[in-house]
Amino acid sequence: MQTPLDLPLDAAVPSGRAPRGFWHRALRHRSFMIGLLLTGLLLTTAALSYLWTPWPPYDLNIPAKLQAPSSAHWLGTDNLGRDVLSQIMVGARNSIVVGVIAVGIGVIGGVLLGMLAAARGGWVEAVIMRAADFTLAFPAILLAIMLTAALGAGITNAIIAIGIANIPIFTRLTRATARSMWAREFVMAARSCGKGNWRISIEHVLPNIVSVIVVQATIEFAIAILAEAALSYLGLGTQPPDASWGRMLSEAQTLMFQAPRLAIYPGLAIALAVLGLNLLGDGLRDLLDPRLARRR
């Protein structure tokens, strides 16, 4: 019979197995790895655009307009002679900025309201949830279009609009998951020790639901990129001369028969970014769910 001293070192320290177990399962999870690869490509492209682009992204060169891909311009030039690859790289940067800030607004506002609704209950919960239901009655894209139309076109207002549209989503998610935690034994034990509702929420409830919030934030990040592209396509998001995948699509629609590649490149960039983030979110959901983790 083996004694604890005979066991391997990592078996004697259970906490040391958790990270290795997560990455061991992650490397075998195809969707997670594909999503991680595509998301890493998006982040690398955006970071690289701060340091280098093949050509200045906003320089016009009318004599070189609509050139086909070549060694000088890897993806060709647009109708104003701008390098398409440089525009794609800077557009990735703007999409990430919009996604991070908009999702951040949704997470902060939604988690606070959801935690308040779960902790207080009663009329406070009813008011918050009915307001969230009312907001969710409008599709997120439509709500963002309404807000940007009211506030004015521009990337700042687009971020605010997308962020506001995210708040009720995180409010409902946080309230539902937090309510299930309030019925657990460790919360009852904390109450018996005299801890108040907010202290219990921050110290006990929030740490146990953060994985669910992270997964949802990853998925909403993809939706935010798609929403920014839609708003820019309609002329309500990123304004010239700033680069945006959606605005590149809008400018390319009049040249579909003359230079269809101008629509293919930004469309492919949007598709790969959204696909990567969705696969990453689905993979995180599977890996962070203890019931699914035990099956792998």
Side-chain angles (χ1 to χ4, degrees):
M1 179 176 180
Q2 288 184 320
T3 64
L5 294 178
D6 297 324
L7 296 175
L9 181 60
D10 58 348
V13 185
S15 60
R17 295 202 306 260
R20 178 156 44 193
F22 173 84
W23 285 109
H24 177 71
R25 289 182 286 111
L27 291 173
R28 298 171 58 190
H29 197 292
R30 186 177 303 174
S31 296
F32 176 81
M33 292 307 300
I34 294 174
L36 186 63
L37 178 63
L38 292 176
T39 303
L41 178 62
L42 172 66
L43 295 175
T44 301
T45 302
L48 183 61
S49 70
Y50 281 102
L51 304 175
W52 173 84
T53 54
W55 294 82
Y58 306 124
D59 281 7
L60 307 182
N61 186 7
I62 301 300
K65 69 177 182 179
L66 298 179
Q67 286 188 357
S70 64
S71 58
H73 300 278
W74 296 349
L75 298 182
T77 60
D78 64 5
N79 60 326
L80 296 177
R82 296 170 297 188
D83 183 67
V84 174
L85 179 57
S86 301
Q87 292 270 304
I88 292 286
M89 294 175 67
V90 177
R93 181 175 71 198
N94 290 336
S95 295
I96 288 178
V97 169
V98 171
V100 168
I101 300 177
V103 172
I105 293 172
V107 168
I108 293 172
V111 169
L112 287 176
L113 290 173
M115 295 289 285
L116 176 62
R120 292 295 300 273
W123 67 269
V124 175
E125 180 181 19
V127 170
I128 292 174
M129 299 315 298
R130 295 298 78 75
D133 291 342
F134 175 78
T135 307
L136 286 174
F138 300 93
I141 296 293
L142 178 59
L143 181 61
I145 292 174
M146 291 169 55
L147 290 173
T148 50
L151 299 174
I155 190 170
T156 301
N157 291 336
I159 291 173
I160 294 173
I162 298 170
I164 291 174
N166 278 327
I167 289 177
I169 296 172
F170 286 99
T171 299
R172 290 179 61 85
L173 176 68
T174 303
R175 180 258 181 186
T177 52
R179 289 283 291 178
S180 65
M181 291 296 151
W182 277 95
R184 303 288 292 274
E185 292 79 3
F186 62 86
V187 172
M188 298 179 184
R191 273 181 168 173
S192 65
C193 294
K195 293 185 178 180
N197 286 349
W198 274 112
R199 187 175 176 185
I200 293 174
S201 297
I202 295 172
E203 295 182 1
H204 302 283
V205 175
L206 185 58
N208 283 282
I209 67 173
V210 68
S211 60
V212 179
I213 296 172
V214 169
V215 171
Q216 187 65 36
T218 305
I219 296 173
E220 292 303 319
F221 198 152
I223 297 175
I225 290 177
L226 195 60
E228 187 278 331
L231 292 174
S232 297
Y233 178 84
L234 296 173
L236 299 174
T238 305
Q239 299 297 302
D242 293 333
S244 168
W245 292 341
R247 195 165 56 77
M248 292 176 70
L249 282 174
S250 178
E251 294 173 353
Q253 65 181 348
T254 58
L255 301 168
M256 285 297 296
F257 296 102
Q258 186 176 359
R261 56 184 173 78
L262 295 180
I264 293 174
Y265 295 143
L268 185 61
I270 295 170
L272 290 176
V274 173
L275 176 64
L277 287 165
N278 275 313
L279 290 176
L280 183 64
D282 289 342
L284 283 174
R285 181 197 59 200
D286 295 344
L287 294 169
L288 295 176
D289 189 330
R291 295 168 297 179
L292 295 176
R294 285 194 294 267
R295 299 174 188 174
R296 294 183 175 272

